[in-house]
Amino acid sequence: MEEGKMDENEWGYHGEGNKSLVVAHAQRCVVLRFLKFPPNRKKTSEEIFQHLQNIVDFGKNVMKEFLGENYVHCGEVVQLPLEFVKQLCLKIQSERPESRCDKDLDTLSGYAMCLPNLTRLQTYCFAEHRPILCVEIKPKCGFIPFSSDVTHEMKHKVCRYCMHQHLKVATGKWKQISKYCPLDLYSGNKQRMHFALKSLLQEAQNNLKIFKNGELIYGCKDARSPVADWSELAHHLKPFFFPSNGLTSGPHCTRAVIRELVHVITRALLSSSDKGRAGALRLGPGPRGPRVCEASPFSRSLHCQGKNTPERSGLPKGCLLYKTLQVQMLDLLDIEGLYPLYNRVEQYLEEFPEERKTLQIDGPYDEAFYQKLLDLSTEDDGTVAFALTKVQQYRVAMTAKDCSIMIALSPCLQDASSDHRPVIPSSRSRFAFSVSVLDLDLKPYESIPHQYKLDSKIVNYYSKTVHAKDNAMMSTRFKESEDCTLVLHKV
């Protein structure tokens, strides 16, 4: 970033999460990512630089190794003029959601991360003139725990996402339960994947966003957001997915456009790029746990039809969903089995606090850190080394459970035959596309006790309310059938 060329008017608010805020350049396909802090929290410039550098190193040395260089874009740490940062902060303040304004953008250090704008195709440095659609999906955890350390039987039947939905609605985070189940998306079965994507489009929550030329056109900001309007979405999408049945308006047109979008997203998610070493993990979902979640509406509808399990498909090993699932499954022990090991590491650090650096808890995230993650043994030898390896694997798995997948799509031009980019056919056109992964910051070591408490809270709430209600309904039906007496009269 050249000091003389930094103009805050060339940058616009792009979005933010709990820990960082992103602005995008109007012409170039780049974004700047700034850290956020509560007003009373002060960090030195050196600490902020190191924090950002750790994010870059973790992406480069760990996630890029697992997922492949085609999918992971690490970016670099840049130093910006402080005046530019202050003016930029003032410019975007009115666009920030009120719920996110409890933390301030870091305007004191001048450090930020410069990254490619993943709402654009990852093939050119500058914004293309052709329209670009980008779908951001946060798929969440795609497997049911297989660890023998799990004490709640419910966790072997219902996935974390489906259980957590009930607690989130009860606490007012969202208005209604989503029909989306991550196991359907990760199944590789196109029917289940289509169902999962339509469910996300109906109840996006913070698991789906759609951008058109870099601008957010669809997605839920909070529980107060209006109900999903498919007709409005279809209006935005018609230039991309002109319905093959020729209809230009009405519910049939809307359904045709949504169906086409779901088809294209599914094709992109199943596309393969063989680079990356996630295969080195050799973690197959097969015998390790159920392939379906009992709470999934798709599974329930099949059960009502007398079918126990849907047709098996499985994900292609080169696709990003498969690789992401492999990394998620580094959570070998579940939080219940992991928590005692975390306490073992904590006890050791209390005795030897100077060892924290040697144990690489706060970095550096280098090749040595990556190599230790490949140890998939679950036989506890009682050492701190074993406990630490499982803790670090859990942190990496949690990162993969919370990442976002970005699918950028752009209609191919008629003369694009010489274009070597991958292409997805649709009923009326073809799309050049790129698939990338976002939000790959390593989850904090300090968050493990919170995860342990949250896990217990989610399972207990689900068991006491939803599952208890199901049992009560079943017992009522059984009682009704028991009390029923058939009396025959002579005619």
Side-chain angles (χ1 to χ4, degrees):
M1 294 284 157
E2 296 170 47
E3 286 206 23
K5 294 187 177 179
M6 296 306 291
D7 179 356
E8 70 275 7
N9 295 311
E10 293 179 352
W11 300 83
Y13 179 81
H14 190 68
E16 64 187 292
N18 187 38
K19 293 178 181 173
S20 56
L21 182 147
V22 178
V23 295
H25 196 274
Q27 270 79 43
R28 297 172 58 210
C29 290
V30 291
V31 298
L32 291 172
R33 178 184 165 188
F34 295 89
L35 293 180
K36 289 173 19 179
F37 299 105
N40 57 351
R41 188 176 170 190
K42 297 287 181 279
K43 278 204 164 194
T44 66
S45 294
E46 290 73 22
E47 286 173 321
I48 287 171
F49 171 79
Q50 195 53 60
H51 184 121
L52 291 169
Q53 191 56 52
N54 277 345
I55 294 171
V56 172
D57 291 343
F58 178 70
K60 191 185 296 179
N61 298 319
V62 179
M63 298 315 282
K64 191 176 265 196
E65 288 296 321
F66 280 140
L67 303 178
E69 59 183 325
N70 288 358
Y71 298 128
V72 180
H73 306 274
C74 305
E76 60 179 339
V77 182
V78 292
Q79 191 165 18
L80 304 161
L82 291 178
E83 188 56 32
F84 161 76
V85 179
K86 283 172 189 164
Q87 292 303 320
L88 180 66
C89 185
L90 290 170
K91 177 179 179 280
I92 63 170
Q93 190 58 34
S94 61
E95 296 180 64
R96 297 180 63 193
E98 195 180 327
S99 60
R100 293 292 189 188
C101 291
D102 58 328
K103 292 182 181 175
D104 300 327
L105 180 123
D106 163 39
T107 55
L108 300 174
S109 74
Y111 288 114
M113 276 174 70
C114 184
L115 295 146
N117 185 342
L118 298 180
T119 65
R120 304 278 185 179
L121 286 174
Q122 293 313 298
T123 45
Y124 294 116
C125 298
F126 291 87
E128 296 185 64
H129 294 298
R130 61 176 114 173
I132 293 179
L133 195 70
C134 177
V135 181
E136 177 182 345
I137 299 170
K138 196 178 272 288
K140 305 303 279 187
C141 180
F143 72 97
I144 285 177
F146 44 79
S147 170
S148 57
D149 293 293
V150 169
T151 58
H152 300 275
E153 186 56 31
M154 188 55 57
K155 284 167 70 173
H156 286 312
K157 296 176 181 177
V158 178
C159 80
R160 163 73 173 251
Y161 181 87
C162 287
M163 280 196 272
H164 202 176
Q165 278 289 301
H166 291 269
L167 183 61
K168 284 181 173 178
V169 170
T171 54
K173 169 79 174 170
W174 303 115
K175 279 185 178 172
Q176 60 187 47
I177 303 289
S178 169
K179 291 180 183 176
Y180 170 70
C181 175
L183 268 73
D184 290 331
L185 188 69
Y186 281 97
S187 68
N189 177 304
K190 284 184 183 173
Q191 196 183 354
R192 286 176 74 186
M193 291 180 78
H194 287 179
F195 182 86
L197 290 166
K198 280 181 184 171
S199 300
L200 277 178
L201 284 162
Q202 279 173 334
E203 193 66 31
Q205 296 184 2
N206 61 353
N207 296 100
L208 180 133
K209 291 175 186 169
I210 300 178
F211 300 86
K212 185 177 178 181
N213 300 327
E215 296 290 321
L216 182 68
I217 59 164
Y218 194 79
C220 192
K221 291 186 176 72
D222 54 39
R224 295 182 298 278
S225 292
V227 177
D229 186 346
W230 277 18
S231 57
E232 189 186 333
L233 175 61
H235 176 73
H236 280 293
L237 297 180
K238 264 190 278 189
F240 296 88
F241 305 103
F242 190 81
S244 54
N245 58 15
L247 294 168
T248 55
S249 62
H252 290 296
C253 168
T254 297
R255 281 197 293 272
V257 169
I258 296 293
R259 192 165 53 243
E260 202 74 355
L261 172 69
V262 166
H263 166 77
V264 171
I265 295 172
T266 304
R267 290 286 294 261
L269 287 172
L270 294 173
S271 66
S272 288
S273 162
D274 290 322
K275 294 177 182 177
R277 290 196 265 176
L281 294 173
R282 295 190 186 89
L283 289 163
R288 290 177 169 268
R291 288 171 175 266
V292 293
C293 163
E294 284 186 6
S296 161
F298 187 92
S299 303
R300 288 189 170 200
S301 67
L302 279 182
H303 191 66
C304 291
Q305 295 165 31
K307 298 175 186 174
N308 290 329
T309 53
E311 179 191 337
R312 290 190 173 191
S313 299
L315 292 164
K317 290 189 178 179
C319 78
L320 182 56
L321 278 180
Y322 176 84
K323 293 179 178 189
T324 306
L325 184 59
Q326 294 290 297
V327 182
Q328 290 181 358
M329 291 172 77
L330 279 171
D331 178 7
L332 298 161
L333 306 173
D334 187 72
I335 187 66
E336 291 188 62
L338 192 278
Y339 192 60
L341 300 180
Y342 164 81
N343 286 332
R344 187 188 299 171
V345 176
E346 274 292 274
Q347 202 174 339
Y348 180 76
L349 287 173
E350 278 178 30
E351 288 182 55
F352 309 101
E354 71 282 357
E355 286 290 291
R356 189 178 174 104
K357 193 171 182 181
T358 314
L359 298 180
Q360 288 185 276
I361 285 168
D362 309 305
Y365 304 121
D366 51 16
E367 176 68 17
F369 180 91
Y370 166 76
Q371 288 297 332
K372 285 173 190 167
L373 298 171
L374 302 178
D375 177 5
L376 303 179
S377 62
T378 51
E379 289 293 319
D380 188 356
D381 58 5
T383 62
V384 172
F386 172 84
L388 182 69
T389 298
K390 298 304 128 189
V391 165
Q392 304 292 48
Q393 285 174 334
Y394 175 80
R395 292 173 68 195
V396 175
M398 290 299 289
T399 302
K401 289 177 189 182
D402 207 34
C403 70
S404 292
I405 293 174
M406 309 288 281
I407 302 159
L409 303 157
S410 184
C412 286
L413 303 173
Q414 290 301 315
D415 59 351
S417 54
S418 59
D419 204 335
H420 297 301
R421 289 182 292 186
V423 166
I424 294 173
S426 73
S427 61
R428 279 288 179 98
S429 60
R430 298 179 309 142
F431 291 93
F433 75 100
S434 63
V435 181
S436 310
V437 65
L438 194 65
D439 297 337
L440 290 175
D441 299 13
L442 180 60
K443 293 296 175 187
Y445 169 80
E446 288 75 17
S447 70
I448 292 174
H450 166 73
Q451 288 298 333
Y452 180 67
K453 286 174 193 161
L454 179 61
D455 182 76
S456 178
K457 199 174 174 182
I458 290 167
V459 181
N460 288 335
Y461 183 82
Y462 187 83
S463 300
K464 283 175 188 169
T465 55
V466 184
H467 191 57
K469 199 191 299 175
D470 287 350
N471 284 346
M473 281 174 66
M474 288 299 288
S475 70
T476 307
R477 282 180 196 158
F478 184 70
K479 199 167 185 303
E480 282 170 358
S481 64
E482 230 181 17
D483 292 346
C484 179
T485 307
L486 184 65
V487 179
L488 298 175
H489 296 277
K490 282 186 180 178
V491 178

